[in-house]
Amino acid sequence: MAEVGLPLWLLAELTYRCPLQCPYCSNPLEFASMQNELTTAQWFDVFKDARQMGAVQLGFSGGEPLVRQDLPQLIKYAHDLGFYTNLITSGLGLNEEKIAQFQQAGLDHIQVSFQASDPVINDMLAGSKKAFEKKKQIAKLVKKYEYPMVLNFVIHRHNIDQIEEIIQLCIELEADTVELAICQFYGWAYLNRQGLLPTKAQLERAERITNEYRAKLKAANNPCKLIFVVPDYYEERPKACMNGWGSIFLTITPDGTALPCHAARQLPMHFPNVKDQPLSDIWYKSTGFNHFRGDAWMPEPCRSCSEKKKDFGGCRCQAFMLTGDAANTDPVCSKSEHHHMIIQARKESEKQLALSELTFRNKKNSKMILVSKG
């Protein structure tokens, strides 16, 4: 059995409920059928067990975690256990009273997401006519309460050409860190891949502009840090997904299912639930968490590849989505026999699709997907 590390990073997906309808959401397509959320007490048990196992960082995510009325209690309990806590939010539902309450409870970090720098595109993607202005107000409040100003923009076909305006907005809001993350194609983003994957020319232009702004910020002694995350669809080697399967990341879904990454629920394998098993048994002993640890599971060309200790064979979820077998080499890798699928996706990105042609993440569409799957 492969050596097992500690679950240092715990992601608590508190709920799949969300006021937004982003077509690139990583939540399961079938989220409408998933109703049973862990109680406050059950989350307390998860936090306590994870902390005892060595977890040090805790992210509150969703859906939109702000819809949980017990969020202040969850933050306080995690803080008292010694976690570094991070709220990952759209900002909708947040106000000054809540920020003050979260700060009092011990929240360490707030990350606010935007959909675009253009209010019309932002609000259309968010599914709310007031989302853009609301997010700007919340970003300023985050700064007022002296939290690190961390803004996240998911970059895709329909906003990548506004990269300069996006960066200017972040500078205007006095952001400390900006994550310009090109879509990673899981969940709803995979469903909408053709309409979201930027072209290579768009990607190169956006990266060039980002680098130009990095130089300008450095020259002006502006501490704003721009992080540009390239989609692995334009790479020849796969990403070191989650730093390796079951290595340091542990995700708990709203119903208590434990996953080695937030996308793993789609795989045709059993993942245990914290309501049925102790968290330590899940992490160290369960088949789901041990299945792709180490390199014994690897087929060729991964097994004999000199880079297997760097990329761990790539992403198991991506291998499954594209080839139907999670044990296959990640098709992003140029050595994969399925690499032609990535090349084809790049070619398909040249075809323009309107925003209105995307399938938006909402209960109606989720239910339709459930019906179509029988």
Side-chain angles (χ1 to χ4, degrees):
M1 183 180 292
E3 183 178 347
V4 182
L6 301 176
L8 300 176
W9 215 110
L10 173 65
L11 182 66
E13 291 186 324
L14 300 180
T15 180
Y16 287 140
R17 291 174 287 159
C18 184
L20 305 187
Q21 58 170 8
C22 303
Y24 46 75
C25 182
S26 62
N27 285 170
L29 299 177
E30 306 87 353
F31 76 87
S33 66
M34 302 171 185
Q35 306 293 333
N36 298 320
E37 297 178 2
L38 294 181
T39 65
T40 306
Q42 287 170 329
W43 276 118
F44 283 176
D45 288 341
V46 169
F47 299 165
K48 181 181 63 177
D49 292 347
R51 189 75 183 95
Q52 289 175 346
M53 292 166 61
V56 294
Q57 185 159 332
L58 170 58
F60 296 104
S61 179
E64 175 48 70
L66 291 171
V67 305
R68 288 280 303 217
Q69 298 303 305
D70 58 353
L71 186 54
Q73 294 99 298
L74 295 175
I75 291 171
K76 185 178 186 309
Y77 190 82
H79 171 76
D80 291 347
L81 287 172
F83 276 106
Y84 181 89
T85 52
N86 178 23
L87 175 62
I88 305 166
T89 176
S90 68
L92 298 190
L94 195 55
N95 54 38
E96 185 164 7
E97 180 182 356
K98 287 184 179 179
I99 291 179
Q101 188 179 23
F102 295 160
Q103 192 170 72
Q104 180 66 30
L107 183 66
D108 295 295
H109 187 280
I110 301 176
Q111 176 181 304
V112 180
S113 66
F114 277 77
Q115 279 65 44
S117 61
D118 178 274
V120 176
I121 295 177
N122 185 97
D123 293 350
M124 182 175 182
L125 288 168
S128 168
K129 294 180 179 180
K130 299 180 180 179
F132 184 75
E133 289 303 321
K134 177 67 174 176
K135 287 171 181 286
K136 286 180 67 176
Q137 293 170 13
I138 292 305
K140 291 174 183 178
L141 283 173
V142 169
K143 195 76 176 180
K144 176 181 176 180
Y145 280 80
E146 300 183 345
Y147 278 107
M149 168 62 79
V150 181
L151 300 181
N152 173 267
F153 283 80
V154 175
I155 306 297
H156 48 79
R157 181 64 174 269
H158 298 280
N159 67 4
I160 193 168
D161 291 332
Q162 288 79 49
I163 194 75
E164 186 166 6
E165 291 82 359
I166 287 173
I167 295 173
Q168 288 174 344
L169 173 63
C170 295
I171 294 172
E172 172 194 329
L173 293 172
E174 300 181 55
D176 297 300
T177 303
V178 179
E179 185 174 282
L180 304 166
I182 310 293
C183 256
Q184 298 296 321
F185 293 96
Y186 303 92
W188 294 81
Y190 182 71
L191 182 67
N192 289 302
R193 187 183 66 186
Q194 185 176 343
L196 293 174
L197 182 64
T199 65
K200 186 175 183 180
Q202 284 180 310
L203 181 66
E204 290 174 344
R205 174 182 176 272
E207 192 164 18
R208 172 180 57 78
I209 290 174
T210 301
N211 286 333
E212 290 171 357
Y213 267 91
R214 283 172 175 155
K216 291 177 184 178
L217 291 167
K218 183 178 181 180
N221 290 318
N222 188 317
C224 179
K225 181 180 181 182
L226 302 179
I227 301 172
F228 191 86
V229 183
V230 178
D232 53 354
Y233 271 64
Y234 285 104
E235 301 284 1
E236 297 301 311
R237 289 290 180 272
K239 59 180 177 285
C241 192
M242 311 308 287
N243 202 48
W245 181 276
S247 174
I248 60 173
F249 290 94
L250 171 61
T251 295
I252 306 298
T253 68
D255 68 357
T257 301
L259 302 172
C261 77
H262 61 272
R265 191 166 196 154
Q266 68 187 299
L267 299 180
M269 51 194 302
H270 174 72
F271 290 104
N273 194 292
V274 296
K275 291 181 286 189
D276 304 321
Q277 287 182 245
L279 198 59
S280 59
D281 284 356
I282 290 173
W283 180 257
Y284 290 106
K285 300 178 181 179
S286 71
T287 301
F289 274 79
N290 280 300
H291 197 80
F292 293 117
R293 278 178 171 147
D295 57 19
W297 60 271
M298 290 183 180
E300 293 294 349
C302 293
R303 182 179 290 271
S304 57
C305 182
S306 61
E307 297 186 35
K308 67 181 179 180
K309 298 297 184 183
K310 297 179 182 178
D311 60 34
F312 310 105
C315 177
R316 298 303 89 222
C317 298
Q318 193 154 260
F320 173 73
M321 287 188 298
L322 293 171
T323 75
D325 186 347
N328 280 335
T329 300
D330 188 336
V332 162
C333 184
S334 61
K335 297 179 181 181
S336 167
E337 63 177 310
H338 301 100
H339 188 61
H340 66 276
M341 302 178 79
I342 297 298
I343 296 173
Q344 181 60 34
R346 296 172 190 169
K347 291 178 180 178
E348 291 173 356
S349 73
E350 299 289 341
K351 181 182 178 182
Q352 188 73 268
L353 285 181
L355 270 175
S356 59
E357 296 181 78
L358 302 181
T359 302
F360 288 84
R361 182 250 195 230
N362 54 49
K363 276 192 173 183
K364 178 182 177 182
N365 286 334
S366 180
K367 290 177 179 177
M368 289 178 64
I369 290 169
L370 283 165
V371 171
S372 69
K373 289 187 176 182

